[in-house]
Amino acid sequence: MIRVNNGKTIRELAGRTYRANRKKNILTIVAIFFTTFLIATVLLVGSGYYEALTLRQRRMSGMDFDIALTEPTEEQVALVRGMDKVKYAGLCVKCAIIEAYDGADVDKVRLWWIDDTCFEKQLLTAQKSFYGAYPTKENEILLSKSALSTMGIKNPTVGMELPLSYSIIKEGEEDTYDETFVLSGYFVDYSGQKNGYVSADFYEATGVKQTDLTQGTLRISLKNPLYSRADILEMNDALHLTNGQVIDGDDNSIVQFLRIAIGMALFLLLVFTSGYLFIYNIQYISVSRDIRYYGQLKTLGTTSLQLRKLVNLQLLWNATVGITLGILASSVLGKSVLTACLKEIDPSLKVQDLGIWLVVVMLIAAGFSFVVAFMGSRKPRKMVEDFAPIEAMKYIGGIDDGRVATGRSKGSAVFSMAKRNLFRDKKQFAIIMLSLSTAIALFLIVNSVIMCNNARYILDEVYEEDMQLLNLTLLEEGESQVFDEELLSKIKGLPGVKEVRQLTGTTATVPYQEVYEAYYKALYQSRYTPGDYDSDMAYYKEHPEDSKFTCRVIGVDDAEFELLNASVEHPLNEEAFRKGEVCFFAKSFTEGDNGITGQRVSFTLYRGDEELTENIQIGAMLDYSPAYYAAGYTPDLIVSKSYVEALIGEDALTEMLKIEYHTSYDKETELQIRNLLTKYKGISAESKLERYEEMKQSEDKIRLLGNTVAGIILVLAMLNYINMMSASLESRKSEFAILESVGMTRGQLRKMIVQEAVWYAGLSELLACAIGLPLSYIAFYSFKQYDIAFCLPIGADLMLAVAMPIFCVVFALLLFCGKRQMSMVDVLKNVG
C-alpha cells in the first residue's frame, strides 16, 4: 500500500474550519485563557496572601523568632549559636520599667537591652517602620509608638529629650530614678506592647543579669521553623538546663503547618477542579456541536485518524493562544495586584522576592491548562471517530430520543418542559452543576479564610470593651481615686457610650490556710517560684503580711458580674454574690483549680489603720483575672463592688473602667472621651479602635488579595454558565421554532428559560452549601492565627446567594433574545 502524505491537506482543512468557527473558537480560547489565568493568579496571589498573614502575625508578636531559652548563661548562648539547626539567636534582657514621664504617671513601659543579632535579625524584621538608631549612650532610649503614645507623645522626633522616672527590675531594688533621656529612635509595630530599648552601658549600670529569673531570654530562630517536641527535648538535653530554666516553644508547630498545608491542598484541589470543569465543558460542547459537520466529512472519505488530527490541530491553536494570553495577563495583573498589596503592607516587600516561584507558577498553570484542554476533548473526539456518517448527520445532541418536548407530564407544561430540558443531557448537567457549585463553594471558603483574619472580628472576640481606662496611681505608694464622680457622670452622659463597667481593686493579706496547700505545692514545682517550699511555707505561716503571699481583691459591678458569670460552667447566685457570701477566684502559673473551688477562704482588708478579716466561699474559677495589677502569688478574689465598698469605704479605689460604645469603633465617641481625660492625670487609656487602626492597613490588603481570588473563581463559573446556556440555546433553535409553530408563545419560551436558569442557580447553591460550609469550617480553623470562634461571613454569603439566581436569569434571557433574532421560517429551513 502506498502511504499518502495528506498532512498539508488536513492542516488546510483545519485552518478553513477554524476560521469558519470563529465564535466557537473564541469561546474555547476564553475558557483556556481564564483557566490559565485563574490557576496562575490564585497561586501567585495566594502566596502573597499567605505572606501578608505571616507578616502581620510576626508584627503582632513584635519579634521574629521560633523558640526561647529563659535565663541563659554565656556558655548556653555560645552552645545554641553553634548548633546546626539554629540560624541565629538574639539575647535580650528586661532591666527597667518607666514609671512616669515629665512627672505624670504612665502605664508600665518595659525597658530591654538586646544584642545586635536580636535587634537586626529579630526586632527590625517584625516592625512596620523604624526611624533613628539603636541607643549607644547610657542616656539614649529607643521606644515603640505605643509607649510614646502612653506618654502623650503623638509626633515624636529623633533627638527629643524625655524626662523619665524609672525603676530597676532587681530583687531588693525599690528606688525610683529620675533622668532625662534622648530619643535615639522609635518604631511602629502592631504588637500593642509598650516596650523600650536601652544601651549596653545603661543595662550594665542596672546590675540586672541575663540569668535573673524571668528577665533574660535567648530568642532562637531556627533554620527550619517546623520543629517538634523531640527537637525541643534534644536541645534541652544538650543545654543541661538548671534552676527552672525552660525552652519555650510551640510543640504543635508541625501540626499547625500540616493543618494549613491540608487546608491549602483542599483549596487548590477545588480551584483545579473548577478550572478542569470549565475547559472540559467548553471542549465537550465545542466538539459536540460539529458532530454533523464531521459526519459530512466522513461521507466524503475522511478517516477517523484524519478527523482526530483535524480536531487536535484546532485545539492546539486554541490552547496556544489561550495559555499565552492567560500567562501574560496573570503575570501583569496578578503581579500588579500582589505588588501593590505587599508594598502597602511593607515597602520592602517585592514580588520579585518570590524568585523561581513565579516561573514555577506559570509552568504549572500552562501545563495544567494544556493537559486539561486535551483531556476535555477526549470524549467528544472519540464520538467523532466512532459515529457512523449517517448517525453523525442525524445527531442533534442533548435530546434523548430526538423528540421535541411537548409538556404532557405532571405539573404545568412550561415547568415540565424546563425540568426535562434541565436533565436531557445528564453529563452536561452534571458538569455545569459541579462547575457552578465548586466556584460558589470556593467563594464561601475564601470568605471564611478572610473572616478568620478579619481585624474587627478578631478584636471583637478578644476585647469585651471598646475602651479601658486604668488608674496609674495604683503603681505608686500614693494611691488616689482618679475616677471621681464628675468624670464618671461625664463619660456615662456621652451619647455614644452604652455602658461603663467599674472595677475597684485593693491588696489583701491572706493568712496561711490549707485550702491553698495543693495550689502552692503545684506553684513551687513550676519555674515561677524560686526557693524551697518547706522553708517558704514555714516563713509564710509566721509572716502572712509578706507581699509575696498577698492577693488582689477585685470588686466588680453588676454588668461585669453578668459577663463573668456567663463564662463559668456553674454560674453563681447573683444575690449571694452581691452580699459577699460567694466569689470567683483567678490565678496564673498552675493548671486546674487545685481543689480550691467550693472551699472557704479568709483574707484581711484595711480601712485606714483598721484590719477587717473576712471569710468567703469560692464559687468558681475564672479563666482570666479581670484585675490589671498584680499582688503576690495567692489567687485573686473577685467579689461584688458593693461588698468591697461596704467594707472599706473610700479606700476602695477604682482600678479600671471598661467602656462600651453603642457602635463599636466609634471615632467621635472615642475622641470625646480622650478630650475629657486631658484634664486628669494618672489615667491611661487603651482602646479597641487604636488596635484596629494598627491592624487595618494590612487588613485591607489581605481582604483585597482574598477577594481577588474569590472574584476570579466566580467569573470563571459565570463564563462557564454563559457558555453552557449559549450552546444549549444554539442547539435548540430548531426546537424553539417547532414549538412556536404548534402554538407556544415566545413569552412561554422565555418563562421556560427563566425556570431552567432558576433551577441551575438553586441546585448549584444547595450543592455548594453541602460542600462549602463544612470545608469553610475546616479552612477557618486551618488558617486562623488567633483563639477565636468560628463564624460565617453571613453578609458576603447572602449577597452571593441572592446575586447568583439574578445573574443566571438575566444572562439566560439575554442569550435567548440574541438567539431568537432569526425568523421561525429561516430556522425551520435549517432543521435536519
Side-chain angles (χ1 to χ4, degrees):
M1 182 182 290
I2 299 174
R3 181 186 176 111
V4 179
N5 185 4
N6 52 17
K8 182 178 180 181
T9 303
I10 294 298
R11 285 193 295 274
E12 290 177 353
L13 180 60
R16 287 196 298 271
T17 305
Y18 188 82
R19 289 189 292 273
N21 293 323
R22 190 176 296 109
K23 186 183 294 185
K24 180 197 73 173
N25 289 316
I26 288 174
L27 283 173
T28 305
I29 288 171
V30 168
I32 296 172
F33 160 77
F34 267 101
T35 300
T36 307
F37 179 73
L38 168 74
I39 301 300
T41 306
V42 165
L43 291 175
L44 188 61
V45 175
S47 62
Y49 181 79
Y50 182 75
E51 174 68 19
L53 292 180
T54 304
L55 178 62
R56 190 174 75 174
Q57 179 65 15
R58 189 162 66 240
R59 287 179 174 171
M60 291 294 289
S61 65
M63 193 74 76
D64 182 17
F65 66 99
D66 298 308
I67 57 178
L69 169 65
T70 63
E71 301 90 40
T73 65
E74 293 291 346
E75 293 78 10
Q76 288 173 332
V77 172
L79 194 58
V80 168
R81 288 175 173 169
M83 291 180 175
D84 293 336
K85 295 181 180 180
V86 174
K87 183 162 56 174
Y88 41 74
L91 182 62
C92 58
V93 185
K94 183 171 57 178
C95 55
I97 294 178
I98 295 176
E99 306 281 1
Y101 164 69
D102 199 18
D105 295 333
V106 298
D107 196 6
K108 292 181 179 179
V109 176
R110 295 169 177 82
L111 298 180
W112 305 73
W113 169 79
I114 57 177
D115 63 11
D116 292 341
T117 300
C118 189
F119 173 64
E120 296 171 3
K121 304 287 188 181
Q122 296 171 323
L123 177 67
L124 289 183
T125 56
Q127 311 310 323
K128 181 180 184 298
S129 54
F130 180 85
Y131 307 91
Y134 191 83
T136 56
K137 298 179 181 178
E138 189 172 342
N139 69 331
E140 289 183 336
I141 192 170
L142 168 67
L143 292 170
S144 69
K145 281 291 290 287
S146 297
L148 290 164
S149 179
T150 297
M151 301 174 191
I153 301 172
K154 302 299 182 183
N155 299 300
T157 56
V158 174
M160 69 184 297
E161 293 187 343
L162 303 173
L164 303 175
S165 299
Y166 66 90
S167 59
I168 296 173
I169 305 176
K170 187 178 180 183
E171 190 171 355
E173 183 69 61
E174 298 180 355
D175 293 337
T176 300
Y177 302 89
D178 297 322
E179 186 174 345
T180 299
F181 286 82
V182 175
L183 188 66
S184 68
Y186 62 94
F187 56 92
V188 180
D189 69 353
Y190 294 149
S191 69
Q193 298 171 358
K194 303 173 183 65
N195 286 332
Y197 298 92
V198 294
S199 66
D201 290 341
F202 180 92
Y203 160 59
E204 291 172 1
T206 63
V208 178
K209 297 181 176 60
Q210 67 189 55
T211 53
D212 290 348
L213 183 69
T214 72
Q215 307 311 326
T217 308
L218 184 65
R219 291 173 175 170
I220 305 167
S221 297
L222 301 172
K223 293 177 181 177
N224 180 6
L226 299 179
Y227 57 90
S228 65
R229 182 170 180 80
D231 294 321
I232 295 179
L233 292 175
E234 180 183 343
M235 186 176 287
N236 187 88
D237 294 339
L239 294 175
H240 305 292
L241 305 187
T242 60
N243 299 325
Q245 283 183 292
V246 295
I247 297 177
D248 187 15
D250 185 359
D251 297 345
N252 297 317
S253 63
I254 293 180
V255 174
Q256 290 177 352
F257 172 79
L258 290 175
R259 187 185 67 187
I260 293 174
I262 291 172
M264 285 293 295
L266 289 173
F267 177 77
L268 290 176
L269 177 63
L270 288 176
V271 169
F272 277 77
T273 300
S274 182
Y276 170 80
L277 291 170
F278 189 21
I279 291 182
Y280 182 91
N281 188 52
I282 293 289
Q283 287 297 102
Y284 182 80
I285 293 172
S286 175
V287 178
S288 297
R289 280 183 184 176
D290 292 334
I291 290 292
R292 298 175 68 192
Y293 168 69
Y294 295 129
Q296 292 172 345
L297 291 178
K298 273 194 172 186
T299 62
L300 298 175
T302 308
T303 66
S304 295
L305 181 60
Q306 290 170 334
L307 288 176
R308 180 189 294 182
K309 290 180 179 179
L310 181 68
V311 174
N312 284 343
L313 273 174
Q314 296 178 76
L315 178 58
L316 179 62
W317 295 334
N318 286 332
T320 301
V321 176
I323 290 172
T324 302
L325 292 176
I327 291 296
L328 290 175
S330 61
S331 61
V332 174
L333 181 60
K335 186 175 176 180
S336 299
V337 172
L338 184 57
T339 300
C341 292
L342 294 184
K343 185 177 180 181
E344 288 295 326
I345 295 170
D346 189 337
S348 66
L349 290 177
K350 298 178 181 178
V351 178
Q352 287 83 353
D353 294 341
L354 296 173
I356 194 66
W357 175 241
L358 291 175
V359 178
V360 173
V361 164
M362 299 309 170
L363 289 176
I364 290 174
F368 175 81
S369 298
F370 190 82
V371 170
V372 170
F374 278 88
M375 286 178 63
S377 64
R378 183 179 177 183
K379 173 70 175 179
R381 270 204 320 269
K382 187 164 178 48
M383 291 166 58
V384 169
E385 297 169 14
D386 293 345
F387 264 108
I390 295 177
E391 290 177 341
M393 293 288 290
K394 295 191 299 181
Y395 181 78
I396 58 177
I399 302 177
D400 300 330
D401 54 8
R403 293 177 298 175
V404 176
T406 61
R408 294 193 181 113
S409 56
K410 293 181 179 180
S412 69
V414 173
F415 175 82
S416 298
M417 292 174 67
K419 185 177 177 182
R420 185 174 185 277
N421 289 334
L422 202 68
F423 300 104
R424 60 171 24 172
D425 188 336
K426 294 180 176 59
K427 185 170 186 178
Q428 180 173 298
F429 170 77
I431 292 171
I432 296 302
M433 287 301 301
L434 283 173
S435 178
L436 277 174
S437 58
T438 300
I440 296 171
L442 280 169
F443 189 84
L444 298 177
I445 293 168
V446 170
N447 278 336
S448 290
V449 174
I450 292 173
M451 173 61 76
C452 75
N453 290 283
N454 180 283
R456 285 202 177 206
Y457 181 65
I458 291 169
L459 292 173
D460 287 340
E461 285 284 296
V462 173
Y463 289 88
E464 294 176 345
E465 62 280 342
D466 291 287
M467 179 176 277
Q468 179 177 282
L469 304 182
L470 292 174
N471 182 348
L472 296 179
T473 68
L474 299 185
L475 294 169
E476 307 292 337
E477 290 186 4
E479 298 178 347
S480 63
Q481 181 64 280
V482 295
F483 299 111
D484 55 31
E485 288 300 325
E486 181 184 3
L487 177 60
L488 282 171
S489 61
K490 286 181 179 178
I491 293 175
K492 291 178 180 179
L494 293 175
V497 173
K498 176 182 178 181
E499 182 178 74
V500 179
R501 302 196 298 276
Q502 189 175 359
L503 283 71
T504 60
T506 187
T507 299
T509 298
V510 183
Y512 177 86
Q513 43 205 304
E514 292 183 1
V515 171
Y516 293 126
E517 187 174 319
Y519 163 73
Y520 270 109
K521 284 182 178 178
L523 182 65
Y524 270 76
Q525 290 173 1
S526 73
R527 65 179 299 270
Y528 299 102
T529 310
D532 178 74
Y533 171 78
D534 292 329
S535 60
D536 279 4
M537 289 301 104
Y539 177 81
Y540 179 19
K541 292 174 183 178
E542 296 295 328
H543 303 279
E545 73 283 355
D546 190 290
S547 61
K548 222 169 28 173
F549 304 105
T550 58
C551 78
R552 295 286 290 174
V553 175
I554 306 300
V556 299
D557 59 17
D558 293 343
E560 184 72 12
F561 168 74
E562 288 181 10
L563 289 174
L564 297 177
N565 212 28
S567 69
V568 297
E569 185 176 355
H570 301 291
L572 307 187
N573 179 274
E574 184 175 356
E575 189 62 31
F577 181 81
R578 283 180 181 170
K579 292 179 178 179
E581 296 172 358
V582 67
C583 70
F584 300 104
F585 82 105
K587 61 182 180 57
S588 304
F589 311 127
T590 67
E591 299 293 332
D593 71 349
N594 301 118
I596 299 174
T597 303
Q599 303 294 321
R600 299 194 69 85
V601 299
S602 60
F603 59 93
T604 301
L605 298 180
Y606 299 89
R607 183 167 57 196
D609 295 330
E610 182 183 0
E611 291 187 2
L612 301 170
T613 300
E614 292 291 308
N615 190 278
I616 196 168
Q617 183 177 5
I618 304 291
M621 184 181 78
L622 297 175
D623 293 332
Y624 67 96
S625 175
Y628 183 82
Y629 299 110
Y633 292 130
T634 304
D636 292 335
L637 301 177
I638 295 85
V639 300
S640 165
K641 173 174 169 287
S642 57
Y643 168 67
V644 175
E645 290 176 343
L647 288 175
I648 59 176
E650 295 181 356
D651 289 332
L653 301 180
T654 300
E655 176 178 303
M656 180 192 308
L657 295 182
K658 295 182 178 181
I659 305 172
E660 188 176 339
Y661 307 156
H662 283 290
T663 304
S664 288
Y665 310 99
D666 186 341
K667 291 184 178 180
E668 184 178 350
T669 300
E670 180 123 341
L671 181 61
Q672 290 173 342
I673 294 174
R674 291 188 181 277
N675 287 337
L676 288 176
L677 297 179
T678 56
K679 300 177 182 179
Y680 293 83
K681 292 184 178 181
I683 298 176
S684 170
E686 290 185 356
S687 74
K688 192 161 61 174
L689 179 61
E690 277 185 329
R691 300 289 290 121
Y692 178 67
E693 294 295 339
E694 293 170 355
M695 297 172 66
K696 187 177 184 299
Q697 194 170 19
S698 64
E699 168 68 22
D700 291 341
K701 309 308 174 288
I702 288 172
R703 183 182 293 277
L704 175 59
L705 288 168
N707 286 335
T708 299
V709 174
I712 294 170
I713 292 167
L714 275 181
V715 168
L716 188 70
M718 291 173 179
L719 287 173
N720 198 5
Y721 170 79
I722 291 171
N723 184 68
M724 180 277 303
M725 287 299 294
S726 176
S728 175
L729 296 175
E730 179 71 29
S731 66
R732 293 157 59 193
K733 279 168 49 173
S734 58
E735 179 186 333
F736 294 150
I738 294 171
L739 289 171
E740 286 188 65
S741 70
V742 296
M744 192 171 188
T745 66
R746 293 203 174 183
Q748 289 174 316
L749 286 175
R750 282 194 295 269
K751 185 177 180 181
M752 181 179 69
I753 298 301
V754 167
Q755 289 185 0
E756 289 179 26
V758 171
W759 270 100
Y760 271 116
L763 291 175
S764 62
E765 286 184 345
L766 288 175
L767 184 58
C769 288
I771 298 171
L773 294 181
L775 291 180
S776 294
Y777 180 85
I778 295 172
F780 186 95
Y781 281 101
S782 294
F783 290 96
K784 72 171 185 173
Q785 302 288 328
Y786 305 89
D787 186 19
I788 54 178
F790 172 69
C791 177
L792 279 173
I794 302 296
D797 291 351
L798 283 178
M799 286 178 61
L800 177 65
V802 173
M804 185 57 67
I806 294 174
F807 165 82
C808 290
V809 168
V810 169
F811 273 91
L813 288 174
L814 289 174
L815 290 168
F816 175 73
C817 293
K819 300 295 181 186
R820 298 302 297 135
Q821 296 302 315
M822 188 182 294
S823 69
M824 181 176 67
V825 175
D826 291 333
V827 172
L828 287 173
K829 284 181 181 179
N830 294 314
V831 175

